């Protein structure tokens, strides 16, 4: 399966007293990757709002494997996992310049209308955009 890739460089303000990237920044990096992927298919936060929906985060998992250091180049690989519910589940991994895994994560977004009412099925407009994203991600399966 193909994954969307976003590259960032660890900035000085992102490292802690131990000279490694502070753990909370990994969540922000996941968001960068997720927004870059979802925005490509009209599923970014502003896109959902324009359709009359919101995608609040309902769960987040993050596993730290190796530290990222100041000025390291980090590649954020993001893809959408299958889910039977009206949920968007984005999996990601953060890799060092030499391809070592630094961290892995999963973030799940529920889908609600503007009044916060949980949607149990993806609306047609959202479902089509999700299908387009899945098709693009699946194109890489043959590689």
């Amino acid at each position: 399966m193909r994954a969307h890739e976003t590259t960032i460089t660890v900035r000085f303000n992102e490292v802690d007293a131990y000279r490694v990237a502070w753990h909370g920044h990994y969540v922000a990096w996941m968001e960068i990757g997720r927004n870059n992927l979802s925005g490509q298919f009209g599923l970014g936060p502003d896109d959902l709002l324009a359709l009359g929906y919101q995608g609040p985060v309902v769960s987040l998992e993050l596993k730290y494997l190796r530290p990222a250091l100041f000025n390291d180049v980090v590649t954020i690989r993001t893809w959408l996992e299958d889910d039977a519910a009206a949920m968007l589940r984005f999996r990601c991994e953060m890799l060092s310049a030499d391809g070592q895994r630094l961290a892995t994560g999963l973030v799940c977004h529920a889908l609600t209308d503007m009044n916060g009412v949980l949607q149990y099925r993806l609306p047609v407009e959202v479902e089509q955009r999700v299908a387009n994203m899945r098709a693009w991600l699946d194109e890489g399966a043959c590689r």
Side-chain angles (χ1 to χ4, degrees), residues 13-142:
N13 68 314
E14 294 175 316
V15 298
D16 61 17
Y18 301 109
R19 303 183 54 84
V20 301
W22 178 66
H23 66 277
H25 290 298
Y26 289 77
V27 176
W29 299 342
M30 287 173 61
E31 184 174 358
I32 291 168
R34 189 171 68 249
N35 283 336
N36 286 349
L37 171 60
S38 62
Q40 212 175 285
F41 296 95
L43 288 167
D46 289 340
D47 301 314
L48 288 177
L49 286 173
L51 293 171
Y53 300 98
Q54 299 177 71
V57 172
V58 294
S59 70
L60 173 71
E61 298 173 18
L62 192 50
K63 183 174 182 178
Y64 302 97
L65 304 168
R66 290 181 177 79
L69 308 173
F70 169 63
N71 233 12
D72 280 356
V73 175
V74 176
T75 299
I76 306 153
R77 297 184 76 239
T78 309
W79 61 95
L80 187 67
E81 287 194 337
D82 289 334
D83 195 290
M87 178 103 39
L88 300 176
R89 297 169 44 93
F90 291 93
R91 176 80 55 190
C92 82
E93 59 183 5
M94 285 153 270
L95 306 170
S96 64
D98 63 359
Q100 292 188 61
R101 273 190 179 165
L102 303 173
T104 60
L106 174 68
V107 63
C108 300
H109 295 261
L111 192 66
T112 70
D113 67 15
M114 297 305 285
N115 294 316
V117 176
L118 185 63
Q119 304 299 293
Y120 291 98
R121 292 184 47 210
L122 289 177
V124 174
E125 311 95 325
V126 174
E127 187 175 32
Q128 183 57 54
R129 294 171 190 204
V130 167
N132 291 341
M133 184 189 305
R134 287 188 203 284
W136 181 83
L137 290 166
D138 288 343
E139 282 177 17
C142 297

